[in-house]
């Protein structure tokens, strides 16, 4: 894999800032949504959609495309922003987030918007779907990869571990999961509510290739980790991405009150200034 040039890294970093602006604008306009967990995975989704994944917004059903499943479906604003910026639909449509009749519902709906591979929002389910898509690809002798983003709070769901066990057992090596390890869930610290540590050891025990201590806001680190995962064969891979909930907006970082609350008009203005 050729080294990614400096200018490409800068380009991705500036794209991630655009994605963050969309997230705060969209949720503020809708006066609802989940900005914190969307901002924490903004760099991950940016690297996937604008660097790593093979996909074609003009042909969302292209059979050989890589697939993405947002298992932590409440981060839908981040997904809608990368889909719009990729060209799946006009950027102006982002304004309709959470409006009645819009395809941009609070959680992603695969039946209402091209580019969405799986309907998610009920935590724990997306990973099982991702494993199923991988197994389907194997049966069809397809070369595509499947990427899924899982939350750390979401990792308390039993279904995550059923999917993990299946993928490990079946050596599903066309799957890369990125754990958005922001240490917070809906109303507090993951470790206070129901601890998931030692998280890397758990995945290893389920026979996964674990790539840990990756800075989930460092574009080059993410690219390196995704490349490593792709080269691995014989087991599924998980990248433990160390992230900050609310990343990019000072008063939202590590602040759980923005898990499911939109910025006010005044907060939006401050956020946009910081993201320029
Ligand atoms: C099955 C299920 N239970 C509860 C919820 C409500 N809920 C939405 S987000 C969330 C917290 C998720 O925490 P985490 O996975 O860490 O997400 P992040 O910190 O990345 O926002 C909860 C409990 C849900 N969507 N699905
Ligand atoms: Mg979390």
């Amino acid at each position: 894999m050729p080294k990614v040039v400096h200018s490409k890294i800068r380009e991705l970093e500036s794209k991630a800032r655009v994605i963050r602006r969309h997230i705060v604008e969209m949720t503020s306009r809708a006066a609802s949504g989940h900005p914190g967990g969307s901002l924490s995975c903004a760099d991950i989704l940016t690297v996937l959609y604008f660097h790593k994944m093979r996909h074609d917004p003009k042909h969302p059903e292209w059979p050989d495309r890589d697939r993405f499943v947002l298992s932590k479906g409440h981060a839908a604003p981040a997904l809608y922003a990368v889909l719009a910026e990729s060209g799946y639909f006009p950027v102006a449509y982002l304004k309709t987030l959470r409006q009645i009749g819009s395809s941009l519902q609070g959680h992603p709906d695969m039946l209402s918007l091209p580019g969405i591979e799986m309907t998610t929002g009920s935590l724990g389910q997306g990973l099982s779907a991702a494993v199923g898509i991988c197994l389907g690809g194997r049966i069809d002798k397809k070369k595509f990869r499947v990427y899924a983003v899982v939350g750390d709070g979401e990792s308390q769901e039993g279904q995550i571990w059923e999917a993990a066990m299946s993928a490990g057992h079946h050596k599903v090596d066309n799957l890369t999961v990125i754990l958005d390890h922001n240490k917070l869930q809906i109303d507090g610290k993951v470790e206070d509510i129901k601890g998931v540590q030692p998280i890397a050891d758990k995945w290893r025990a389920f026979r996964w290739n674990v790539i840990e201590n990756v800075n989930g806001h460092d574009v080059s680190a993410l690219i390196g980790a995704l490349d490593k995962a792709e080269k691995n064969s014989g087991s599924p891979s998980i990248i433990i991405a160390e992230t900050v909930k609310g990343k990019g907006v000072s008063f939202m970082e590590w602040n759980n009150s923005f898990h499911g609350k939109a910025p006010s008009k005044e907060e939006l203005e401050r956020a946009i200034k910081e993201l320029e």
Side-chain angles (χ1 to χ4, degrees):
M1 187 59 92
K3 234 180 143 27
V4 181
V5 291
H6 198 64
S7 57
K8 177 72 186 179
I9 301 287
R10 293 286 94 86
E11 199 184 297
L12 289 166
E13 287 170 348
S14 96
K15 184 63 89 177
R17 268 194 300 281
V18 171
I19 299 304
R20 286 193 162 89
R21 286 205 290 274
H22 286 319
I23 291 168
V24 289
E25 273 167 1
M26 249 189 279
T27 51
S28 184
R29 173 183 275 265
S32 71
H34 297 83
S38 299
L39 291 167
S40 89
C41 64
D43 303 291
I44 297 165
L45 267 63
T46 298
V47 171
L48 285 172
Y49 276 84
F50 299 99
H51 176 71
K52 190 70 197 167
M53 292 197 320
R54 289 173 313 149
H55 65 120
D56 181 357
K58 300 275 170 297
H59 302 99
E61 302 289 325
W62 177 38
D64 294 323
R65 71 194 182 282
D66 289 338
R67 272 75 165 168
F68 175 74
V69 175
L70 183 65
S71 197
K72 40 165 275 187
H74 58 281
L79 179 56
Y80 298 153
V82 292
L83 289 174
E85 284 289 330
S86 297
Y88 284 88
F89 58 85
V91 167
Y93 193 63
L94 291 174
K95 289 195 176 86
T96 69
L97 177 75
R98 286 181 170 243
Q99 284 179 14
I100 291 174
S102 168
S103 297
L104 307 187
Q105 286 305 298
H107 297 79
D109 176 2
M110 66 190 285
L111 299 180
S112 76
L113 195 66
I116 294 191
E117 302 286 356
M118 183 49 57
T119 298
T120 52
S122 184
L123 294 170
Q125 298 181 350
L127 183 57
S128 296
V131 174
I133 298 169
C134 287
L135 291 171
R138 185 189 282 181
I139 290 167
D140 292 343
K141 298 198 169 23
K142 292 283 183 197
K143 292 263 182 285
F144 64 73
R145 288 194 70 76
V146 179
Y147 295 90
V149 169
V150 169
D152 46 6
E154 184 184 14
S155 305
Q156 296 160 343
E157 290 284 348
Q159 192 174 344
I160 290 291
W161 301 103
E162 292 185 56
M165 203 186 302
S166 297
H169 175 79
H170 293 290
K171 303 182 169 50
V172 176
D173 58 6
N174 50 347
L175 175 62
T176 300
V177 167
I178 302 102
L179 180 73
D180 188 347
H181 194 213
N182 60 27
K183 291 91 177 171
L184 295 174
Q185 55 185 93
I186 196 166
D187 49 12
K189 292 183 185 156
V190 175
E191 284 312 292
D192 290 345
I193 291 161
K194 188 159 73 175
V196 298
Q197 300 304 333
I199 194 75
D201 289 344
K202 282 191 175 66
W203 287 95
R204 267 192 289 270
F206 283 81
R207 307 182 194 169
W208 282 56
N209 171 44
V210 178
I211 302 166
E212 50 188 317
N213 298 318
V214 175
N215 181 343
H217 303 303
D218 179 332
V219 164
S220 325
L222 284 167
I223 292 173
L226 288 163
D227 290 349
K228 254 195 216 166
E230 190 173 11
K231 284 191 197 115
N232 177 67
S233 65
S235 56
S237 292
I238 181 160
I239 295 166
I240 316 264
E242 301 302 330
T243 53
V244 172
K245 202 155 173 166
K247 177 72 181 177
V249 180
S250 58
F251 58 92
M252 289 185 166
E253 290 188 1
W254 298 108
N255 181 353
N256 227 30
S257 69
F258 284 102
H259 169 84
K261 184 187 75 172
S264 65
K265 266 197 178 148
E266 184 268 328
E267 287 165 337
L268 174 66
E269 272 176 33
R270 282 162 61 201
I272 294 293
K273 260 190 205 132
E274 292 189 20
L275 292 168
E276 263 159 7

